[in-house]
Amino acid sequence: MTAPLHETDIARLVDRFYDRVQADPMLGPVFNPVVEDWEEHKRTLVSFWSSIMLGTRAYRGNPMAAHRPHAIREEHFDHWLALWREVAEAELPPEHAARLVEHATRIGRSLRYGLGMAPRLGVVRALPVIDG
């Protein structure tokens, strides 16, 4: 039986993932110019993923609005997701990694649609706007 997912697991995943993003030749040039404080950005993402995965309601924000002004292209999504999958599978038990990848895939699909990059295929749930 796999131990429950904890916020410390999510924090470790987010930390390792965004360390890789910063150094990534495709994603680094997108993220590095706009993230002023990486530690703060990671805390925000831990809050986001904890809200999604653990129901903590710690995240307050609108992911679509946060991504809209940036130079994100279609190819960034597949690359981001492949890197997320790689790090999740390295850091977490398979059941937790699979759930995080599943959620990231759906969120990416919603972002693509919202940013005008992909046709709507079937039912796509909107990104959560989480208010207290």
Side-chain angles (χ1 to χ4, degrees):
M1 181 171 174
T2 302
L5 183 69
H6 293 284
E7 191 166 309
T8 55
D9 300 315
I10 293 170
R12 185 177 69 251
L13 170 62
V14 166
D15 185 58
R16 302 268 165 44
F17 176 74
Y18 282 99
D19 284 350
R20 296 274 305 270
V21 164
Q22 289 175 72
D24 188 85
M26 180 183 284
L27 299 175
V30 175
F31 281 83
N32 291 326
V34 298
V35 176
E36 294 177 20
D37 181 343
W38 275 102
E39 292 309 310
E40 178 61 28
H41 185 68
K42 289 177 184 181
R43 281 190 294 275
T44 299
L45 272 293
V46 170
S47 293
F48 175 79
W49 284 106
S50 293
S51 294
I52 298 294
M53 300 302 297
L54 304 174
T56 63
R57 301 178 62 142
Y59 178 76
R60 306 280 186 268
N62 183 329
M64 186 66 69
H67 289 84
R68 192 169 281 125
H70 303 300
I72 301 170
R73 297 188 316 265
E74 176 69 26
E75 61 268 22
H76 293 135
F77 284 97
D78 290 334
H79 190 71
W80 187 99
L81 187 58
L83 186 60
W84 179 256
R85 178 186 308 276
E86 180 182 324
V87 177
E89 288 175 352
E91 294 297 328
L92 300 171
E95 300 84 15
H96 298 321
R99 285 184 53 229
L100 278 148
V101 169
E102 178 184 330
H103 281 285
T105 300
R106 286 197 307 248
I107 291 165
R109 190 177 309 129
S110 293
L111 277 171
R112 281 178 174 160
Y113 177 72
L115 296 173
M117 293 182 199
R120 188 169 188 146
L121 303 172
V123 176
V124 178
R125 286 194 261 164
L127 285 173
V129 175
I130 305 170
D131 297 313

mmCIF file of all heavy atoms in Angstrom, residues 46-85:
data_model
loop_
_atom_site.group_PDB
_atom_site.id
_atom_site.type_symbol
_atom_site.label_atom_id
_atom_site.label_comp_id
_atom_site.label_asym_id
_atom_site.label_seq_id
_atom_site.Cartn_x
_atom_site.Cartn_y
_atom_site.Cartn_z
ATOM 1 N N VAL A 46 3.438 25.110 -5.158
ATOM 2 C CA VAL A 46 3.119 24.106 -4.135
ATOM 3 C C VAL A 46 1.692 24.338 -3.635
ATOM 4 O O VAL A 46 0.915 23.386 -3.480
ATOM 5 C CB VAL A 46 4.138 24.139 -2.974
ATOM 6 C CG1 VAL A 46 3.666 23.276 -1.804
ATOM 7 C CG2 VAL A 46 5.509 23.665 -3.460
ATOM 8 N N SER A 47 1.320 25.599 -3.424
ATOM 9 C CA SER A 47 -0.051 25.912 -3.013
ATOM 10 C C SER A 47 -1.050 25.466 -4.073
ATOM 11 O O SER A 47 -2.099 24.888 -3.756
ATOM 12 C CB SER A 47 -0.216 27.414 -2.768
ATOM 13 O OG SER A 47 0.542 27.811 -1.665
ATOM 14 N N PHE A 48 -0.720 25.729 -5.353
ATOM 15 C CA PHE A 48 -1.611 25.328 -6.452
ATOM 16 C C PHE A 48 -1.802 23.814 -6.464
ATOM 17 O O PHE A 48 -2.936 23.320 -6.437
ATOM 18 C CB PHE A 48 -1.031 25.805 -7.788
ATOM 19 C CG PHE A 48 -1.813 25.323 -8.969
ATOM 20 C CD1 PHE A 48 -2.995 25.952 -9.333
ATOM 21 C CD2 PHE A 48 -1.383 24.242 -9.729
ATOM 22 C CE1 PHE A 48 -3.742 25.502 -10.416
ATOM 23 C CE2 PHE A 48 -2.111 23.789 -10.814
ATOM 24 C CZ PHE A 48 -3.292 24.422 -11.159
ATOM 25 N N TRP A 49 -0.693 23.072 -6.495
ATOM 26 C CA TRP A 49 -0.793 21.614 -6.590
ATOM 27 C C TRP A 49 -1.369 20.994 -5.320
ATOM 28 O O TRP A 49 -2.078 19.988 -5.383
ATOM 29 C CB TRP A 49 0.554 20.996 -6.967
ATOM 30 C CG TRP A 49 0.844 21.207 -8.414
ATOM 31 C CD1 TRP A 49 1.741 22.073 -8.965
ATOM 32 C CD2 TRP A 49 0.171 20.571 -9.509
ATOM 33 N NE1 TRP A 49 1.669 22.009 -10.334
ATOM 34 C CE2 TRP A 49 0.731 21.097 -10.693
ATOM 35 C CE3 TRP A 49 -0.832 19.611 -9.604
ATOM 36 C CZ2 TRP A 49 0.310 20.687 -11.963
ATOM 37 C CZ3 TRP A 49 -1.251 19.201 -10.861
ATOM 38 C CH2 TRP A 49 -0.677 19.738 -12.022
ATOM 39 N N SER A 50 -1.106 21.595 -4.163
ATOM 40 C CA SER A 50 -1.709 21.094 -2.925
ATOM 41 C C SER A 50 -3.220 21.299 -2.951
ATOM 42 O O SER A 50 -3.975 20.456 -2.463
ATOM 43 C CB SER A 50 -1.105 21.807 -1.709
ATOM 44 O OG SER A 50 0.250 21.459 -1.569
ATOM 45 N N SER A 51 -3.654 22.407 -3.510
ATOM 46 C CA SER A 51 -5.091 22.651 -3.638
ATOM 47 C C SER A 51 -5.735 21.637 -4.568
ATOM 48 O O SER A 51 -6.817 21.126 -4.279
ATOM 49 C CB SER A 51 -5.343 24.078 -4.154
ATOM 50 O OG SER A 51 -4.927 25.020 -3.195
ATOM 51 N N ILE A 52 -5.062 21.332 -5.676
ATOM 52 C CA ILE A 52 -5.586 20.367 -6.649
ATOM 53 C C ILE A 52 -5.576 18.940 -6.071
ATOM 54 O O ILE A 52 -6.568 18.229 -6.128
ATOM 55 C CB ILE A 52 -4.748 20.393 -7.949
ATOM 56 C CG1 ILE A 52 -4.815 21.746 -8.634
ATOM 57 C CG2 ILE A 52 -5.146 19.253 -8.893
ATOM 58 C CD1 ILE A 52 -6.159 22.123 -9.168
ATOM 59 N N MET A 53 -4.445 18.547 -5.520
ATOM 60 C CA MET A 53 -4.252 17.148 -5.135
ATOM 61 C C MET A 53 -4.738 16.819 -3.727
ATOM 62 O O MET A 53 -5.128 15.690 -3.456
ATOM 63 C CB MET A 53 -2.764 16.784 -5.245
ATOM 64 C CG MET A 53 -2.181 16.939 -6.636
ATOM 65 S SD MET A 53 -3.029 15.949 -7.901
ATOM 66 C CE MET A 53 -2.698 14.291 -7.310
ATOM 67 N N LEU A 54 -4.669 17.791 -2.824
ATOM 68 C CA LEU A 54 -4.984 17.511 -1.424
ATOM 69 C C LEU A 54 -6.219 18.263 -0.931
ATOM 70 O O LEU A 54 -6.629 18.076 0.208
ATOM 71 C CB LEU A 54 -3.783 17.872 -0.532
ATOM 72 C CG LEU A 54 -2.462 17.199 -0.884
ATOM 73 C CD1 LEU A 54 -1.348 17.751 -0.011
ATOM 74 C CD2 LEU A 54 -2.564 15.688 -0.771
ATOM 75 N N GLY A 55 -6.741 19.143 -1.780
ATOM 76 C CA GLY A 55 -7.915 19.910 -1.387
ATOM 77 C C GLY A 55 -7.634 20.941 -0.303
ATOM 78 O O GLY A 55 -8.535 21.296 0.457
ATOM 79 N N THR A 56 -6.408 21.445 -0.235
ATOM 80 C CA THR A 56 -6.039 22.370 0.847
ATOM 81 C C THR A 56 -6.657 23.757 0.706
ATOM 82 O O THR A 56 -6.730 24.485 1.688
ATOM 83 C CB THR A 56 -4.515 22.554 0.911
ATOM 84 O OG1 THR A 56 -4.068 23.146 -0.311
ATOM 85 C CG2 THR A 56 -3.814 21.234 1.183
ATOM 86 N N ARG A 57 -7.025 24.128 -0.518
ATOM 87 C CA ARG A 57 -7.568 25.462 -0.790
ATOM 88 C C ARG A 57 -6.561 26.559 -0.459
ATOM 89 O O ARG A 57 -6.940 27.691 -0.161
ATOM 90 C CB ARG A 57 -8.884 25.672 -0.058
ATOM 91 C CG ARG A 57 -9.936 24.644 -0.468
ATOM 92 C CD ARG A 57 -11.206 24.814 0.270
ATOM 93 N NE ARG A 57 -11.725 26.131 -0.063
ATOM 94 C CZ ARG A 57 -12.989 26.411 -0.240
ATOM 95 N NH1 ARG A 57 -13.885 25.470 -0.112
ATOM 96 N NH2 ARG A 57 -13.382 27.617 -0.531
ATOM 97 N N ALA A 58 -5.278 26.224 -0.518
ATOM 98 C CA ALA A 58 -4.225 27.190 -0.189
ATOM 99 C C ALA A 58 -3.958 28.165 -1.329
ATOM 100 O O ALA A 58 -3.459 29.260 -1.100
ATOM 101 C CB ALA A 58 -2.939 26.439 0.167
ATOM 102 N N TYR A 59 -4.269 27.778 -2.549
ATOM 103 C CA TYR A 59 -3.984 28.611 -3.716
ATOM 104 C C TYR A 59 -5.090 29.616 -3.950
ATOM 105 O O TYR A 59 -6.265 29.270 -3.940
ATOM 106 C CB TYR A 59 -3.802 27.733 -4.959
ATOM 107 C CG TYR A 59 -3.545 28.521 -6.220
ATOM 108 C CD1 TYR A 59 -2.304 29.078 -6.460
ATOM 109 C CD2 TYR A 59 -4.554 28.716 -7.154
ATOM 110 C CE1 TYR A 59 -2.063 29.817 -7.615
ATOM 111 C CE2 TYR A 59 -4.324 29.440 -8.307
ATOM 112 C CZ TYR A 59 -3.076 29.988 -8.531
ATOM 113 O OH TYR A 59 -2.844 30.716 -9.673
ATOM 114 N N ARG A 60 -4.684 30.843 -4.190
ATOM 115 C CA ARG A 60 -5.603 31.913 -4.562
ATOM 116 C C ARG A 60 -5.084 32.498 -5.864
ATOM 117 O O ARG A 60 -4.045 33.141 -5.880
ATOM 118 C CB ARG A 60 -5.641 33.019 -3.500
ATOM 119 C CG ARG A 60 -5.943 32.563 -2.101
ATOM 120 C CD ARG A 60 -7.435 32.343 -1.907
ATOM 121 N NE ARG A 60 -7.768 32.047 -0.529
ATOM 122 C CZ ARG A 60 -7.840 30.830 -0.033
ATOM 123 N NH1 ARG A 60 -7.573 29.787 -0.761
ATOM 124 N NH2 ARG A 60 -8.182 30.647 1.221
ATOM 125 N N GLY A 61 -5.789 32.266 -6.932
ATOM 126 C CA GLY A 61 -5.319 32.818 -8.192
ATOM 127 C C GLY A 61 -6.067 32.284 -9.380
ATOM 128 O O GLY A 61 -6.981 31.483 -9.251
ATOM 129 N N ASN A 62 -5.634 32.735 -10.545
ATOM 130 C CA ASN A 62 -6.241 32.370 -11.813
ATOM 131 C C ASN A 62 -5.123 31.952 -12.764
ATOM 132 O O ASN A 62 -4.445 32.805 -13.326
ATOM 133 C CB ASN A 62 -7.022 33.566 -12.364
ATOM 134 C CG ASN A 62 -7.742 33.241 -13.646
ATOM 135 O OD1 ASN A 62 -7.305 32.415 -14.443
ATOM 136 N ND2 ASN A 62 -8.852 33.915 -13.867
ATOM 137 N N PRO A 63 -4.911 30.646 -12.925
ATOM 138 C CA PRO A 63 -3.807 30.181 -13.766
ATOM 139 C C PRO A 63 -3.884 30.695 -15.210
ATOM 140 O O PRO A 63 -2.850 30.988 -15.812
ATOM 141 C CB PRO A 63 -3.936 28.660 -13.725
ATOM 142 C CG PRO A 63 -4.675 28.383 -12.471
ATOM 143 C CD PRO A 63 -5.611 29.537 -12.278
ATOM 144 N N MET A 64 -5.079 30.811 -15.761
ATOM 145 C CA MET A 64 -5.199 31.283 -17.143
ATOM 146 C C MET A 64 -4.673 32.714 -17.248
ATOM 147 O O MET A 64 -3.876 33.029 -18.137
ATOM 148 C CB MET A 64 -6.644 31.213 -17.621
ATOM 149 C CG MET A 64 -6.830 31.542 -19.084
ATOM 150 S SD MET A 64 -6.061 30.334 -20.185
ATOM 151 C CE MET A 64 -7.127 28.927 -19.900
ATOM 152 N N ALA A 65 -5.103 33.566 -16.361
ATOM 153 C CA ALA A 65 -4.651 34.954 -16.380
ATOM 154 C C ALA A 65 -3.146 35.046 -16.136
ATOM 155 O O ALA A 65 -2.467 35.891 -16.726
ATOM 156 C CB ALA A 65 -5.406 35.773 -15.337
ATOM 157 N N ALA A 66 -2.618 34.158 -15.310
ATOM 158 C CA ALA A 66 -1.184 34.174 -15.019
ATOM 159 C C ALA A 66 -0.349 33.800 -16.241
ATOM 160 O O ALA A 66 0.774 34.275 -16.411
ATOM 161 C CB ALA A 66 -0.869 33.224 -13.860
ATOM 162 N N HIS A 67 -0.886 32.952 -17.123
ATOM 163 C CA HIS A 67 -0.126 32.492 -18.289
ATOM 164 C C HIS A 67 -0.376 33.314 -19.544
ATOM 165 O O HIS A 67 0.453 33.317 -20.460
ATOM 166 C CB HIS A 67 -0.453 31.022 -18.573
ATOM 167 C CG HIS A 67 0.113 30.100 -17.550
ATOM 168 N ND1 HIS A 67 -0.529 29.835 -16.362
ATOM 169 C CD2 HIS A 67 1.262 29.400 -17.524
ATOM 170 C CE1 HIS A 67 0.215 28.997 -15.657
ATOM 171 N NE2 HIS A 67 1.300 28.717 -16.330
ATOM 172 N N ARG A 68 -1.486 33.996 -19.608
ATOM 173 C CA ARG A 68 -1.887 34.698 -20.827
ATOM 174 C C ARG A 68 -0.839 35.685 -21.358
ATOM 175 O O ARG A 68 -0.605 35.728 -22.557
ATOM 176 C CB ARG A 68 -3.236 35.383 -20.607
ATOM 177 C CG ARG A 68 -3.843 35.890 -21.907
ATOM 178 C CD ARG A 68 -5.292 36.318 -21.743
ATOM 179 N NE ARG A 68 -6.133 35.116 -21.730
ATOM 180 C CZ ARG A 68 -6.985 34.810 -20.769
ATOM 181 N NH1 ARG A 68 -7.140 35.590 -19.734
ATOM 182 N NH2 ARG A 68 -7.707 33.710 -20.846
ATOM 183 N N PRO A 69 -0.177 36.492 -20.536
ATOM 184 C CA PRO A 69 0.726 37.504 -21.100
ATOM 185 C C PRO A 69 2.097 36.983 -21.553
ATOM 186 O O PRO A 69 2.901 37.758 -22.075
ATOM 187 C CB PRO A 69 0.897 38.517 -19.956
ATOM 188 C CG PRO A 69 0.588 37.775 -18.711
ATOM 189 C CD PRO A 69 -0.375 36.676 -19.094
ATOM 190 N N HIS A 70 2.359 35.707 -21.393
ATOM 191 C CA HIS A 70 3.713 35.200 -21.653
ATOM 192 C C HIS A 70 3.864 34.576 -23.039
ATOM 193 O O HIS A 70 2.895 34.180 -23.668
ATOM 194 C CB HIS A 70 4.110 34.218 -20.558
ATOM 195 C CG HIS A 70 4.037 34.842 -19.205
ATOM 196 N ND1 HIS A 70 4.775 35.932 -18.832
ATOM 197 C CD2 HIS A 70 3.239 34.561 -18.143
ATOM 198 C CE1 HIS A 70 4.476 36.295 -17.603
ATOM 199 N NE2 HIS A 70 3.533 35.469 -17.163
ATOM 200 N N ALA A 71 5.103 34.477 -23.468
ATOM 201 C CA ALA A 71 5.434 33.983 -24.812
ATOM 202 C C ALA A 71 5.418 32.456 -24.853
ATOM 203 O O ALA A 71 6.427 31.815 -25.104
ATOM 204 C CB ALA A 71 6.805 34.517 -25.228
ATOM 205 N N ILE A 72 4.254 31.900 -24.610
ATOM 206 C CA ILE A 72 4.097 30.446 -24.584
ATOM 207 C C ILE A 72 3.633 29.985 -25.959
ATOM 208 O O ILE A 72 2.690 30.529 -26.513
ATOM 209 C CB ILE A 72 3.071 30.032 -23.504
ATOM 210 C CG1 ILE A 72 3.532 30.528 -22.131
ATOM 211 C CG2 ILE A 72 2.864 28.524 -23.516
ATOM 212 C CD1 ILE A 72 2.485 30.382 -21.048
ATOM 213 N N ARG A 73 4.330 28.967 -26.483
ATOM 214 C CA ARG A 73 3.965 28.400 -27.783
ATOM 215 C C ARG A 73 3.472 26.965 -27.594
ATOM 216 O O ARG A 73 3.722 26.339 -26.575
ATOM 217 C CB ARG A 73 5.177 28.427 -28.718
ATOM 218 C CG ARG A 73 5.685 29.832 -29.023
ATOM 219 C CD ARG A 73 6.756 29.835 -30.102
ATOM 220 N NE ARG A 73 7.768 28.793 -29.949
ATOM 221 C CZ ARG A 73 8.954 28.965 -29.343
ATOM 222 N NH1 ARG A 73 9.272 30.129 -28.828
ATOM 223 N NH2 ARG A 73 9.807 27.967 -29.274
ATOM 224 N N GLU A 74 2.814 26.474 -28.601
ATOM 225 C CA GLU A 74 2.236 25.122 -28.568
ATOM 226 C C GLU A 74 3.271 24.068 -28.146
ATOM 227 O O GLU A 74 2.987 23.210 -27.318
ATOM 228 C CB GLU A 74 1.652 24.791 -29.945
ATOM 229 C CG GLU A 74 1.107 23.392 -30.075
ATOM 230 C CD GLU A 74 -0.148 23.124 -29.268
ATOM 231 O OE1 GLU A 74 -0.897 24.073 -28.983
ATOM 232 O OE2 GLU A 74 -0.370 21.955 -28.906
ATOM 233 N N GLU A 75 4.460 24.123 -28.710
ATOM 234 C CA GLU A 75 5.467 23.090 -28.415
ATOM 235 C C GLU A 75 5.939 23.108 -26.964
ATOM 236 O O GLU A 75 6.456 22.108 -26.457
ATOM 237 C CB GLU A 75 6.666 23.190 -29.367
ATOM 238 C CG GLU A 75 7.424 24.485 -29.309
ATOM 239 C CD GLU A 75 6.945 25.534 -30.300
ATOM 240 O OE1 GLU A 75 5.783 25.463 -30.774
ATOM 241 O OE2 GLU A 75 7.732 26.437 -30.599
ATOM 242 N N HIS A 76 5.753 24.218 -26.264
ATOM 243 C CA HIS A 76 6.142 24.282 -24.859
ATOM 244 C C HIS A 76 5.295 23.327 -24.010
ATOM 245 O O HIS A 76 5.787 22.773 -23.022
ATOM 246 C CB HIS A 76 5.998 25.702 -24.312
ATOM 247 C CG HIS A 76 6.957 26.670 -24.927
ATOM 248 N ND1 HIS A 76 6.570 27.914 -25.343
ATOM 249 C CD2 HIS A 76 8.271 26.570 -25.209
ATOM 250 C CE1 HIS A 76 7.613 28.546 -25.843
ATOM 251 N NE2 HIS A 76 8.653 27.742 -25.775
ATOM 252 N N PHE A 77 4.039 23.150 -24.370
ATOM 253 C CA PHE A 77 3.148 22.316 -23.568
ATOM 254 C C PHE A 77 3.605 20.867 -23.526
ATOM 255 O O PHE A 77 3.694 20.264 -22.446
ATOM 256 C CB PHE A 77 1.706 22.403 -24.088
ATOM 257 C CG PHE A 77 1.036 23.680 -23.714
ATOM 258 C CD1 PHE A 77 0.999 24.735 -24.607
ATOM 259 C CD2 PHE A 77 0.455 23.840 -22.466
ATOM 260 C CE1 PHE A 77 0.388 25.927 -24.264
ATOM 261 C CE2 PHE A 77 -0.161 25.031 -22.110
ATOM 262 C CZ PHE A 77 -0.192 26.082 -23.015
ATOM 263 N N ASP A 78 3.886 20.286 -24.679
ATOM 264 C CA ASP A 78 4.313 18.885 -24.704
ATOM 265 C C ASP A 78 5.645 18.701 -23.988
ATOM 266 O O ASP A 78 5.842 17.721 -23.268
ATOM 267 C CB ASP A 78 4.416 18.377 -26.141
ATOM 268 C CG ASP A 78 3.059 18.241 -26.803
ATOM 269 O OD1 ASP A 78 2.058 18.052 -26.079
ATOM 270 O OD2 ASP A 78 2.986 18.343 -28.041
ATOM 271 N N HIS A 79 6.534 19.649 -24.168
ATOM 272 C CA HIS A 79 7.847 19.564 -23.520
ATOM 273 C C HIS A 79 7.697 19.695 -22.003
ATOM 274 O O HIS A 79 8.310 18.936 -21.242
ATOM 275 C CB HIS A 79 8.781 20.645 -24.091
ATOM 276 C CG HIS A 79 10.187 20.486 -23.662
ATOM 277 N ND1 HIS A 79 11.010 19.476 -24.105
ATOM 278 C CD2 HIS A 79 10.936 21.231 -22.807
ATOM 279 C CE1 HIS A 79 12.195 19.595 -23.549
ATOM 280 N NE2 HIS A 79 12.178 20.652 -22.752
ATOM 281 N N TRP A 80 6.876 20.662 -21.558
ATOM 282 C CA TRP A 80 6.633 20.857 -20.129
ATOM 283 C C TRP A 80 6.061 19.572 -19.525
ATOM 284 O O TRP A 80 6.515 19.110 -18.475
ATOM 285 C CB TRP A 80 5.654 22.022 -19.931
ATOM 286 C CG TRP A 80 5.444 22.442 -18.506
ATOM 287 C CD1 TRP A 80 6.030 23.486 -17.861
ATOM 288 C CD2 TRP A 80 4.571 21.815 -17.542
ATOM 289 N NE1 TRP A 80 5.580 23.554 -16.561
ATOM 290 C CE2 TRP A 80 4.688 22.536 -16.338
ATOM 291 C CE3 TRP A 80 3.712 20.725 -17.588
ATOM 292 C CZ2 TRP A 80 3.978 22.208 -15.187
ATOM 293 C CZ3 TRP A 80 3.006 20.378 -16.431
ATOM 294 C CH2 TRP A 80 3.142 21.125 -15.261
ATOM 295 N N LEU A 81 5.064 18.998 -20.205
ATOM 296 C CA LEU A 81 4.416 17.803 -19.678
ATOM 297 C C LEU A 81 5.378 16.610 -19.640
ATOM 298 O O LEU A 81 5.373 15.837 -18.679
ATOM 299 C CB LEU A 81 3.169 17.455 -20.489
ATOM 300 C CG LEU A 81 2.320 16.316 -19.936
ATOM 301 C CD1 LEU A 81 1.844 16.605 -18.509
ATOM 302 C CD2 LEU A 81 1.133 16.065 -20.849
ATOM 303 N N ALA A 82 6.211 16.458 -20.651
ATOM 304 C CA ALA A 82 7.184 15.359 -20.657
ATOM 305 C C ALA A 82 8.168 15.506 -19.494
ATOM 306 O O ALA A 82 8.508 14.516 -18.821
ATOM 307 C CB ALA A 82 7.932 15.322 -21.986
ATOM 308 N N LEU A 83 8.611 16.720 -19.238
ATOM 309 C CA LEU A 83 9.520 16.963 -18.124
ATOM 310 C C LEU A 83 8.811 16.739 -16.787
ATOM 311 O O LEU A 83 9.373 16.131 -15.868
ATOM 312 C CB LEU A 83 10.084 18.386 -18.218
ATOM 313 C CG LEU A 83 11.168 18.756 -17.217
ATOM 314 C CD1 LEU A 83 12.383 17.842 -17.348
ATOM 315 C CD2 LEU A 83 11.577 20.215 -17.424
ATOM 316 N N TRP A 84 7.568 17.199 -16.668
ATOM 317 C CA TRP A 84 6.773 16.983 -15.459
ATOM 318 C C TRP A 84 6.625 15.485 -15.183
ATOM 319 O O TRP A 84 6.809 15.022 -14.059
ATOM 320 C CB TRP A 84 5.402 17.648 -15.618
ATOM 321 C CG TRP A 84 4.474 17.503 -14.471
ATOM 322 C CD1 TRP A 84 3.401 16.664 -14.389
ATOM 323 C CD2 TRP A 84 4.491 18.237 -13.235
ATOM 324 N NE1 TRP A 84 2.754 16.838 -13.185
ATOM 325 C CE2 TRP A 84 3.406 17.793 -12.458
ATOM 326 C CE3 TRP A 84 5.325 19.231 -12.723
ATOM 327 C CZ2 TRP A 84 3.132 18.300 -11.187
ATOM 328 C CZ3 TRP A 84 5.050 19.729 -11.454
ATOM 329 C CH2 TRP A 84 3.969 19.268 -10.714
ATOM 330 N N ARG A 85 6.305 14.727 -16.234
ATOM 331 C CA ARG A 85 6.150 13.271 -16.087
ATOM 332 C C ARG A 85 7.468 12.641 -15.618
ATOM 333 O O ARG A 85 7.475 11.834 -14.683
ATOM 334 C CB ARG A 85 5.726 12.646 -17.411
ATOM 335 C CG ARG A 85 5.598 11.116 -17.360
ATOM 336 C CD ARG A 85 5.321 10.514 -18.731
ATOM 337 N NE ARG A 85 4.203 11.124 -19.401
ATOM 338 C CZ ARG A 85 2.918 10.797 -19.216
ATOM 339 N NH1 ARG A 85 2.610 9.836 -18.371
ATOM 340 N NH2 ARG A 85 1.970 11.400 -19.891
#
